[in-house]
Amino acid sequence: MRTPFKGHHVPITRRSALVGSAAVGATAVLPVSAAAAATKVRTRVARPATNHSAGTFAASTNHAFQLPDGKTRNILSRFTSGVNAERLADVAAEGGIDAWFEHQLAPGNISNKKADATSAWFPVLAMTPQQRFARYKAGTQNGAEMMQDFASWTMLRRLFSKRAVDELMVDFWSNLLHTASPANNVWPWRIEYDQMIRRHALGDFDSLLKAAIQHPAMGLYLNNVLSTADAINENLGRELLECHTVGVGNYTEHDVINSARILTGFQVDQKLTWDQTYHPEDHWMGRVKVMAFRAPNAKANGIPVLLKYLTYLSHHPLTAQRLCRRLAIRFMSDNPSDALVTSLANVYLDSNTEIVPVLRALVTSDEFLSSSMQKVRTPVEDALATWTAIGAVVTQPHSPDDAGNQFINVSKAIGQVVFSWPTPDAFPDLAPAWSGAGRMLGSFRVHWYAACGAYPNQGITFLTPLDWMPQLPLQFKDVVDHVVRSVLFLPSTLSMQVAATIATDIQPTDVITTSHALVTHSFPRLLVSILDTVEHLSR
């Protein structure tokens, strides 16, 4: 069983308040064990040099460190786990951000060996639903633990994958067509459901919707496998309309009943085989009407009617509007304009529900290009972006406490675990849901442990303080500017410089050498002051 994140109680001596746009990180006395973990590292990327400058806070202009342009940074921050040197190198190798994004839209053409290799880290991924159930019955591993392995793999894959846009579209569809994990009776099929979404993530919504609604995981989650002609269960029929397609307020209760009637006939053997079968004798027959969809529904095999119904819903203008608004909210801002949403919806309908043309239209819109850092990162995004920013190197887990198994507890400490939202509406995607005091305190604590290398500290390596440094000796303000550029890929601001000074008690013009206290023990205070900024907590 995995060890839950309880916090390694590092004694905090002071935490400052927000200074301008920067949230100053916790300053703390680092325990010996955490300090040892922080020094077991290897260099991951070369760090450019920073020049000297005069002035109290004004850092010198760093011409050696080429920062990405606004468009590149905007697309990478929205469609990956975060900007880093490796991704910028990939963009350069493609010939620019436009070519990189276009290549991302054909993920099968992108080598992804590192991410693919992580599947072998979690044997449960290769099992069949029947094998997982047998494992549970034998007492070897319960369903929640198997789904924790699945969640860990999902997080690590997003961290490692070269197919970043594909990964985030898998996450987008997993949220729209949500089946909670772990959930009673769903877990044997939940990994296959993920595999199905991955096959369709950059395809057309019509095909994806048909595959998702007929999948055993969806039928089990929303009780459709219990729905028969004599005992209609309305759950899936309702959520298909409310959560998956046209949205609340656009249908009647009579529509919900007929929607559920169309879906009857599917069953899953939950005692022996876990196979899904279709039982014509359990399908409700008779005329059905849902919104403008009508069908005689006169045959015992109702699947042809179901497929026509799902095509109707996937091509409906209300579905187009709702999907495109959600895409714009996920990848651009909480308040996309009606004009942009309508434009994207027209692309969606004209493209026969294909998603790739919609994504192209979104990222080339003026509204997207001017929307930098308008999204608050969710706890999962924060955890991923933090490990990306600090250059953490994760290896195959061999014990429950290794980083590969503990990563989901890192995001849990901030307030979210992938797939765990219990209800069909899934995780919210707007800033108010992720901007409360509890979430912020969780982020501050996780950032501090990451900066110290204190948790997790097995199966993971971090950069040393010297790895982060430009050529020394150098004034502190220039060191700060260099580290800010290395973490955020932005130039430092006045508020960041002030925050760094408060966090470390080092003055801007103090000269930093290899034996300075900043290098020997207090560097985590500088690093966390950067991780706690609004700039890191936004994308």
Side-chain angles (χ1 to χ4, degrees):
M1 183 177 294
R2 304 285 180 253
T3 303
F5 182 93
K6 297 179 179 177
H8 297 248
H9 297 289
V10 182
I12 297 176
T13 60
R14 181 187 66 220
R15 176 177 293 281
S16 72
L18 291 175
V19 181
S21 67
V24 183
T27 59
V29 177
L30 186 63
V32 173
S33 59
T39 59
K40 292 169 57 182
V41 297
R42 63 180 175 83
T43 303
R44 184 173 184 175
V45 295
R47 301 294 176 180
T50 306
N51 300 321
H52 289 275
S53 73
T56 305
F57 282 108
S60 60
T61 303
N62 189 332
H63 298 291
F65 198 165
Q66 185 64 45
L67 296 176
D69 60 66
K71 181 179 181 180
T72 298
R73 192 180 188 284
N74 198 19
I75 289 178
L76 289 181
S77 67
R78 302 301 177 78
F79 287 96
T80 74
S81 62
V83 184
N84 64 5
E86 182 179 342
R87 291 200 171 106
L88 289 175
D90 289 342
V91 169
E94 293 283 358
I97 192 62
D98 293 332
W100 178 87
F101 189 79
E102 188 63 28
H103 197 189
Q104 286 287 311
L105 298 178
N109 296 330
I110 302 172
S111 177
N112 208 29
K113 294 179 180 179
K114 185 176 180 181
D116 291 343
T118 60
S119 296
W121 296 4
F122 303 98
V124 68
L125 298 173
M127 296 177 188
T128 64
Q130 295 78 15
Q131 288 170 328
R132 291 184 202 112
F133 188 65
R135 189 174 179 85
Y136 157 72
K137 292 288 285 185
T140 305
Q141 192 177 24
N142 65 43
E145 290 171 336
M146 284 185 261
M147 291 301 95
Q148 185 160 329
D149 283 352
F150 168 54
S152 296
W153 172 78
T154 300
M155 292 280 287
L156 292 170
R157 189 171 179 89
R158 283 180 61 179
L159 191 68
F160 292 147
S161 184
K162 292 284 189 178
R163 302 170 182 172
V165 174
D166 189 47
E167 285 297 320
L168 288 184
M169 286 306 299
V170 170
D171 180 64
F172 175 82
W173 295 125
S174 295
N175 211 47
L176 180 83
L177 302 165
H178 179 58
T179 59
S181 174
N184 288 342
N185 299 332
V186 178
W187 58 267
W189 275 103
R190 186 57 183 81
I191 292 171
E192 283 71 21
Y193 187 76
D194 180 78
Q195 293 167 350
M196 176 275 298
I197 288 180
R198 289 178 180 278
R199 289 193 296 272
H200 293 281
L202 286 168
D204 65 274
F205 183 64
D206 187 17
S207 298
L208 171 59
L209 183 66
K210 289 171 181 174
I213 297 305
Q214 296 180 86
H215 198 279
M218 181 66 78
L220 288 161
Y221 177 53
L222 291 178
N223 301 316
N224 196 56
V225 297
L226 304 177
S227 188
T228 67
D230 297 327
I232 301 291
N233 187 296
E234 296 180 7
N235 284 359
L236 182 55
R238 181 182 302 278
E239 304 308 344
L240 171 59
L241 295 167
E242 178 176 330
C243 295
H244 305 153
T245 57
V246 297
V248 67
N250 294 309
Y251 53 86
T252 67
E253 286 302 306
H254 188 66
D255 290 333
V256 170
I257 293 171
N258 278 327
S259 180
R261 286 169 172 169
I262 294 170
L263 288 159
T264 53
F266 293 95
Q267 291 186 15
V268 172
D269 180 357
Q270 300 179 51
K271 295 182 179 179
L272 295 174
T273 68
W274 284 89
D275 289 339
Q276 177 170 271
T277 52
Y278 190 81
H279 293 247
E281 68 275 15
D282 286 328
H283 175 63
W284 189 93
M285 290 188 294
R287 295 194 63 83
V288 288
K289 175 182 177 296
V290 181
M291 300 170 66
F293 176 80
R294 291 175 172 81
N297 189 37
K299 295 182 179 180
N301 180 2
I303 291 179
V305 173
L306 172 61
L307 296 179
K308 290 178 181 178
Y309 173 49
L310 295 176
T311 293
Y312 165 78
L313 290 177
S314 65
H315 287 77
H316 199 286
L318 290 173
T319 299
Q321 285 276 331
R322 185 165 177 271
L323 285 183
C324 291
R325 185 172 297 279
R326 287 177 69 106
L327 281 166
I329 288 172
R330 169 64 65 92
F331 295 114
M332 192 187 74
S333 72
D334 284 5
N335 297 292
S337 70
D338 290 342
L340 175 63
V341 172
T342 296
S343 175
L344 297 177
N346 289 336
V347 172
Y348 170 89
L349 293 172
D350 291 344
S351 302
N352 200 30
T353 79
E354 290 281 348
I355 295 303
V356 164
V358 179
L359 293 177
R360 285 196 188 106
L362 175 62
V363 301
T364 56
S365 68
D366 291 340
E367 196 169 333
F368 176 85
L369 296 175
S370 62
S371 67
S372 178
M373 288 189 284
Q374 289 187 18
K375 288 294 296 180
V376 172
R377 280 186 164 130
T378 66
V380 165
E381 291 169 344
D382 184 3
L384 288 161
T386 297
W387 279 21
T388 297
I390 65 174
V393 179
V394 184
T395 56
Q396 180 175 355
H398 295 290
S399 79
D401 292 329
D402 282 353
N405 287 325
Q406 287 295 312
F407 198 7
I408 61 167
N409 287 325
V410 173
S411 69
K412 183 178 181 180
I414 306 175
Q416 184 186 23
V417 175
V418 292
F419 312 131
S420 65
W421 193 265
T423 54
D425 54 347
F427 288 110
D429 211 2
L430 300 174
W434 307 115
S435 302
R439 179 266 159 87
M440 296 310 302
L441 290 172
S443 286
F444 293 157
R445 180 170 289 275
V446 164
H447 294 167
W448 175 242
Y449 292 135
C452 295
Y455 175 83
N457 58 14
Q458 295 178 202
I460 185 170
T461 55
F462 302 87
L463 298 173
T464 68
L466 277 177
D467 290 330
W468 287 100
M469 293 294 156
Q471 187 174 351
L472 301 177
L474 201 63
Q475 289 185 348
F476 179 62
K477 57 186 173 58
D478 290 322
V479 171
V480 172
D481 184 62
H482 173 84
V483 179
V484 167
R485 290 167 182 261
S486 300
V487 174
L488 302 177
F489 287 84
L490 292 168
S492 62
T493 63
L494 175 61
S495 59
M496 293 175 190
Q497 291 279 346
V498 172
T501 292
I502 294 172
T504 61
D505 289 326
I506 302 173
Q507 296 306 305
T509 55
D510 286 357
V511 175
I512 307 302
T513 66
T514 56
S515 60
H516 191 279
L518 177 69
V519 178
T520 59
H521 70 273
S522 62
F523 179 76
R525 300 177 184 180
L526 169 59
L527 185 55
V528 81
S529 76
I530 299 168
L531 295 174
D532 283 355
T533 58
V534 170
E535 287 80 358
H536 179 68
L537 289 163
S538 305
R539 59 178 175 87

